């Protein structure tokens, strides 16, 4: 029997056109097992119930009985919104989609087929869209292990690609400002059983509109949280150097030169060839700005 799927779409209600496109793309998926969409309103500066009414108006023209709009009733922020959506689903499987991303045709059918072979958590390749340019990011494998996610964040294992058994996992609401909650969830899933990867681009991920990318203090707190929560990250030289390099870059972006240098040295010590360390030092020295670096990387479909 084909499993039913509940799709959770958190939103702050500040990009209605993209939200409608995300909802429509999910509802357009060919899935005979039953498909329901839960949009969870999680405003930063409004009362949740009122925000949910506003969001309902934004998607009113979609007019589908398979669509519900709810306020976040748990911890304010992205993790609480995701868990509110999971709790509202009575389906066999749960999937996530960010409100500025778009599922491409065949995404859900391909992942459901892949899970039938014994997996409980699936991801897929993505198509990164930035400034009118699209770059495909693939894993190059049919499974993703916890070791893979320790060595690399693996951007294609993106929250908008997640499909998993309902009740098997919940998002950790202690993630600072919602930072790295998706990486943490994927790591916990991969520890249970390797993630099933449908390695073709089935989700279009739009970069450039997220408020997460340049909140440097939050990014530092999120990386510190990951290091404390997942000590295995420091045991892999490549993975440790990457995190240390990201910390160096974030401190450099905030003008914390001494901290940037300290983390850059740790990155070099873990792996001499870590590219983020010299980039962070260049930002700390004022040779290039953090936004300039990010723009160049995003054009190539990469982040820091």
């Amino acid at each position: 029997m084909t499993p039913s799927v509940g799709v959770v779409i958190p939103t702050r209600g500040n990009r209605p056109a993209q939200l409608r496109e995300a909802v429509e793309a999910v509802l357009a998926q060919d899935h005979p097992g039953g498909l329901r969409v839960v949009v969870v309103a999680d405003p930063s500066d409004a009362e949740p119930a009122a925000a949910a009414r506003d969001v309902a108006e934004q998607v009113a023209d979609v007019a589908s009985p398979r669509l519900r709009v709810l306020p976040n009733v748990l911890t304010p922020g992205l993790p609480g919104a995701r868990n509110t959506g999971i709790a509202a689903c009575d389906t066999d499987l749960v999937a996530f989609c960010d409100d500025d991303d778009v599922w491409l045709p065949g995404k859900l059918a391909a992942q459901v087929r892949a899970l039938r072979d014994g997996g409980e958590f699936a991801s897929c390749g993505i198509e990164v869209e930035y400034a009118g340019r699209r770059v495909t990011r693939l894993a190059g494998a049919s499974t993703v292990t916890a070791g893979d996610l320790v060595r690399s964040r693996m951007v294609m294992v993106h929250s908008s690609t997640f499909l998993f058994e309902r009740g098997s996992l919940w998002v950790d609401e202690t993630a600072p400002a919602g930072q790295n909650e998706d990486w943490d969830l994927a790591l916990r899933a991969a520890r249970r059983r390797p993630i099933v990867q449908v390695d073709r681009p089935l989700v279009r991920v739009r970069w450039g509109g997220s408020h997460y990318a340049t909140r440097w203090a939050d990014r530092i707190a999120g990386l510190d949280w990951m290091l404390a929560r997942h000590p295995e990250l420091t045991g892999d030289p490549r993975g440790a150097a990457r995190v240390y390099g990201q910390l160096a870059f974030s401190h450099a972006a905030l003008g914390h030169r001494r901290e940037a240098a300290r983390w850059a040295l740790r990155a070099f010590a873990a792996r001499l060839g870590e590219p983020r360390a010299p980039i962070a030092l260049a930002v700390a020295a004022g040779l290039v700005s953090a936004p300039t670096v990010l723009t160049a990387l995003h054009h190539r479909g990469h982040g820091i």
Side-chain angles (χ1 to χ4, degrees), residues 45-300:
D45 56 359
E47 195 272 325
R53 290 192 292 270
D54 291 341
V55 169
E57 291 179 3
Q58 293 175 11
V59 296
D61 54 342
V62 177
S64 171
R66 296 180 292 167
L67 172 64
R68 298 172 63 193
V69 178
L70 303 172
N72 178 10
V73 296
L74 299 174
T75 306
L78 184 56
R82 293 204 202 277
N83 283 342
T84 292
I86 294 173
C89 291
D90 59 356
T91 51
D92 300 309
L93 303 174
V94 172
F96 293 161
C97 183
D98 291 350
D99 69 348
D100 56 342
D101 294 337
V102 176
W103 284 9
L104 301 180
K107 183 265 188 193
L108 191 54
Q111 288 187 302
V112 170
R113 283 195 302 270
L115 284 181
R116 284 178 180 159
D117 294 333
E120 64 179 26
F121 193 106
S123 59
C124 64
I126 63 174
E127 182 181 82
V128 177
E129 181 176 271
Y130 180 78
R133 176 183 172 89
R134 293 174 182 169
V135 178
T136 296
R137 298 294 306 274
L138 304 177
S142 59
T143 58
V144 174
T145 67
D148 295 329
L149 288 167
V150 166
R151 284 187 295 276
S152 169
R153 171 59 186 86
M154 301 191 71
V155 69
M156 72 293 303
V157 184
H158 185 279
S159 56
S160 291
T161 74
F162 291 178
L163 176 70
F164 56 98
E165 294 180 2
R166 182 177 64 88
S168 62
L169 292 161
W170 296 83
V171 181
D172 193 319
E173 296 180 32
T174 67
Q179 292 281 340
N180 294 317
E181 46 81 28
D182 50 350
W183 185 18
D184 167 73
L185 186 69
L187 264 171
R188 288 188 283 124
R191 282 203 205 107
R192 293 163 59 103
R193 191 179 300 179
I195 293 172
V196 177
Q197 170 75 7
V198 180
D199 210 31
R200 61 182 191 270
L202 294 172
V203 175
R204 182 170 300 141
V205 175
R206 292 163 165 165
W207 283 0
S210 173
H211 66 287
Y212 284 91
T214 56
R215 288 168 54 175
W216 302 113
D218 288 343
R219 295 193 69 173
I220 291 167
L223 290 169
D224 287 341
W225 179 77
M226 285 296 292
L227 290 174
R229 185 166 169 76
H230 299 280
E232 69 272 23
L233 291 172
T234 63
D236 183 278
R238 183 177 291 271
R242 181 179 59 81
V243 173
Y244 298 159
Q246 289 174 328
L247 283 165
F249 186 88
S250 297
H251 278 290
L254 287 173
H256 303 163
R257 293 186 177 185
R258 182 171 295 180
E259 283 298 295
R262 183 171 72 86
W263 283 109
L265 288 174
R266 290 192 66 176
F268 281 134
R271 176 177 172 247
L272 191 58
E274 171 53 48
R276 294 166 186 81
I279 293 173
L281 292 176
V283 171
L287 300 178
V288 64
S289 71
T292 297
V293 172
L294 287 184
T295 297
L297 290 172
H298 288 172
H299 273 292
R300 297 171 55 203

